[in-house]
């Protein structure tokens, strides 16, 4: 071997060693990805999840029942109040005047009742007097009939005696006059009896009329009492109180502001147990049922897991309760997956974190299907 060949062999590069880094990394990625994919797939078989969920709670609106101007505001934003606490005071002068008017009307009606009762009593007394007069007239008529019979008998005897000239003409005429007088007296008494009967009948009618008038006055008194109760009720409405225990929202009211009856002022978020409203797709409801366990993650407290359960399903999808619900019979139909609101309730009511929850907080819900 010559020198040149020896030099060429010395200058050839040494063969490179084969690297296993890339295959190892690729294998690791495949294993990790496969494990993660299998875990997610297996999790999806036994769980349903959604982040379209929020905290909800009882919210009571504060609404005035009567119109009026605000004279006092007793609460501030976010203040804790208890049921019955005074929130807002309205000007009550109009209601006070109406109450006094209603009381005055009641007193007047009560006076009318006294008059009606007195009139009824007088009518009853008059009726009794007229009935007594009728009875007296009947007794006098019987007496007059006896007198007519006696004078008639005397006249018959005197007629026989005058034929025999046993009595004078004057005595006969006196007997005739006595009979005629008795007959006229009987007619007078009969007329007096008829008049007394008519008066008694009129008195009875008057008594019935005054009795009905008493009933009308009694009904008027009840109406006036109802007016007083209504005036007192409206007067009580000038003080707006808290309907429940809870925290006041932003107070949208100012001193001197005129409020309309039924106008919403602000709300009170009750201290009752909050719950979660989760809107699941209809395709997620296949295996869901009442009583299933739920894991809840709240953005405000990411390190705390809340235990809950499925409490109820909405009777209709959320779209059906929209202001303008969809009508698939009009226009072109485009199928859209609907969502159904589901109520989820917390299991641990004494969890201190639950007391920190506020309506509207975002929630991630994980329902365990098994």
């Amino acid at each position: 071997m010559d020198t040149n060949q020896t030099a060429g062999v010395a200058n050839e590069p040494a063969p490179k060693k084969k690297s296993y880094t890339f295959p190892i990394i690729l294998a690791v990625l495949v294993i990790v990805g496969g494990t993660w994919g299998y875990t997610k797939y297996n999790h999806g078989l036994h769980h349903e999840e959604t982040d379209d969920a929020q905290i909800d709670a009882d919210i009571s609106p504060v609404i005035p029942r009567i119109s009026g101007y605000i004279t006092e505001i007793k609460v501030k934003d976010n203040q804790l109040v208890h049921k019955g606490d005074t929130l807002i005071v309205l000007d009550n002068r109009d209601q006070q005047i109406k109450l006094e008017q209603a009381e005055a009307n009641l007193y007047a009606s009560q006076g009318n009742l006294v008059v009606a009762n007195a009139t009824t009593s007088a009518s009853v007394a008059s009726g009794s007097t007229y009935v007594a007069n009728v009875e007296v007239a009947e007794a006098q008529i019987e007496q007059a009939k006896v007198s007519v019979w006696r004078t008639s008998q005397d006249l018959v005897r005197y007629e026989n005696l005058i034929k025999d000239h046993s009595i004078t003409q004057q005595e006969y005429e006196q007997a005739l006059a006595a009979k005629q007088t008795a007959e006229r007296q009987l007619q007078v008494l009969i007329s007096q009896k008829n008049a007394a009967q008519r008066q008694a009948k009129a008195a009875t009618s008057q008594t019935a009329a005054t009795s009905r008038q008493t009933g009308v006055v009694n009904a008027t008194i009840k109406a006036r009492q109802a007016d007083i109760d209504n005036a007192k009720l409206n007067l009580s409405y000038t003080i707006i109180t808290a309907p429940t225990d809870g925290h006041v929202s932003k107070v949208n009211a100012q001193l001197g502001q005129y409020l309309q009856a039924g106008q919403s002022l602000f709300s009170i978020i009750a201290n009752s147990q909050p719950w979660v409203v989760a809107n699941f797709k209809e395709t997620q409801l296949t295996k869901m049922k009442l009583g299933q366990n739920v894991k809840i993650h709240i953005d405000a407290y990411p390190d705390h897991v809340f235990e809950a359960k499925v409490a109820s399903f909405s009777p209709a999808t959320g779209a059906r309760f929209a202001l303008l619900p969809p009508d698939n019979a009009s226009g072109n139909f485009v199928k859209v997956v609907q969502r159904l609101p589901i109520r989820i309730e917390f299991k641990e009511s004494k969890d201190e974190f639950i007391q920190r929850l506020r309506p509207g907080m975002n929630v991630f819900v994980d329902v365990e299907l098994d």
Side-chain angles (χ1 to χ4, degrees):
M1 181 179 298
D2 57 11
T3 306
N4 292 333
Q5 290 180 343
T6 304
V9 172
N11 292 330
E12 289 181 0
K16 295 182 178 179
K17 293 183 179 180
K18 190 174 182 179
S19 175
Y20 294 99
T21 303
F22 177 75
I24 292 174
I25 293 175
L26 180 60
V28 171
L29 291 177
V30 170
I31 294 173
V32 172
T35 302
W36 180 85
Y38 174 78
T39 302
K40 296 297 291 183
Y41 172 76
N42 187 60
H43 183 272
L45 293 177
H46 304 282
H47 296 261
E48 289 292 354
E49 301 174 341
T50 184
D51 58 358
D52 186 357
Q54 290 182 328
I55 298 295
D56 204 349
D58 292 321
I59 300 178
S60 300
V62 175
I63 299 175
R65 299 192 179 187
I66 60 172
S67 301
Y69 291 94
I70 298 177
T71 58
E72 291 183 73
I73 299 176
K74 299 285 191 178
V75 292
K76 298 180 181 179
D77 296 352
N78 309 325
Q79 180 178 335
L80 175 65
V81 296
H82 299 284
K83 183 177 181 180
D85 288 352
T86 299
L87 305 178
I88 290 179
V89 179
L90 302 180
D91 188 355
N92 65 354
R93 288 175 293 181
D94 291 342
Q95 283 68 33
Q96 189 66 46
I97 291 174
K98 290 180 180 179
L99 176 58
E100 293 174 357
Q101 289 176 340
E103 291 175 343
N105 292 335
L106 176 61
Y107 295 149
S109 298
Q110 290 174 339
N112 293 336
L113 179 61
V114 173
V115 173
N117 288 333
T119 304
T120 301
S121 300
S123 298
V124 171
S126 298
S128 300
T129 301
Y130 293 136
V131 170
N133 292 339
V134 171
E135 294 175 351
V136 171
E138 288 177 346
Q140 291 175 343
I141 287 173
E142 294 299 324
Q143 184 178 359
K145 287 180 179 179
V146 172
S147 179
V148 169
W149 176 81
R150 181 176 57 78
T151 56
S152 297
Q153 295 296 324
D154 291 343
L155 181 61
V156 170
R157 287 193 299 270
Y158 274 85
E159 286 177 346
N160 294 327
L161 292 174
I162 197 171
K163 291 178 180 179
D164 298 336
H165 301 284
S166 299
I167 60 173
T168 63
Q169 184 67 29
Q170 182 181 5
E171 290 176 334
Y172 171 75
E173 291 177 350
Q174 287 176 347
L176 179 61
K179 176 181 179 297
Q180 292 175 346
T181 300
E183 289 176 345
R184 284 194 293 270
Q185 182 64 28
L186 177 60
Q187 294 299 324
V188 170
L189 291 175
I190 291 174
S191 299
Q192 290 178 347
K193 174 189 173 182
N194 293 335
Q197 286 177 333
R198 289 192 295 270
Q199 289 175 339
K201 185 177 180 180
T204 302
S205 300
Q206 180 64 27
T207 301
T210 53
S211 297
R212 288 193 293 270
Q213 183 64 28
T214 301
V216 172
V217 175
N218 282 325
T220 304
I221 289 176
K222 290 183 179 180
R224 296 292 177 262
Q225 185 62 54
D227 292 340
I228 290 178
D229 295 339
N230 183 63
K232 289 181 178 179
L233 189 61
N234 287 334
L235 183 61
S236 68
Y237 289 157
T238 59
I239 299 178
I240 303 175
T241 58
T244 184
D245 296 345
H247 288 82
V248 176
S249 65
K250 180 176 177 57
V251 179
N252 297 317
Q254 299 295 330
L255 289 176
Q257 179 181 350
Y258 182 78
L259 301 181
Q260 293 283 356
Q263 175 184 346
S264 180
L265 297 179
F266 50 89
S267 300
I268 294 180
I269 291 80
N271 286 339
S272 59
Q273 183 82 357
W275 64 89
V276 173
V277 176
N279 301 299
F280 283 91
K281 296 179 182 179
E282 56 186 328
T283 55
Q284 296 179 282
L285 303 177
T286 305
K287 297 182 180 181
M288 292 182 63
K289 58 184 179 181
L290 296 178
Q292 289 175 331
N293 294 325
V294 181
K295 301 290 186 182
I296 295 178
H297 301 269
I298 299 178
D299 293 353
Y301 310 106
D303 297 330
H304 186 78
V305 178
F306 296 84
E307 298 291 336
K309 65 178 180 179
V310 177
S312 62
F313 294 84
S314 173
T317 63
R320 277 297 164 191
F321 297 111
L323 182 61
L324 296 175
D327 185 1
N328 294 333
S330 61
N332 295 325
F333 169 66
V334 177
K335 182 177 181 180
V336 178
V337 176
Q338 299 296 312
R339 288 183 178 268
L340 187 77
I342 295 178
R343 180 180 175 123
I344 298 174
E345 296 179 351
F346 295 99
K347 289 183 176 181
E348 299 294 335
S349 59
K350 296 182 180 180
D351 190 340
E352 62 175 352
F353 283 93
I354 294 180
Q355 305 304 321
R356 306 180 190 178
L357 302 181
R358 297 293 182 267
M361 283 184 171
N362 288 322
V363 173
F364 180 82
V365 174
D366 182 358
V367 179
E368 299 176 358
L369 302 179
D370 297 334

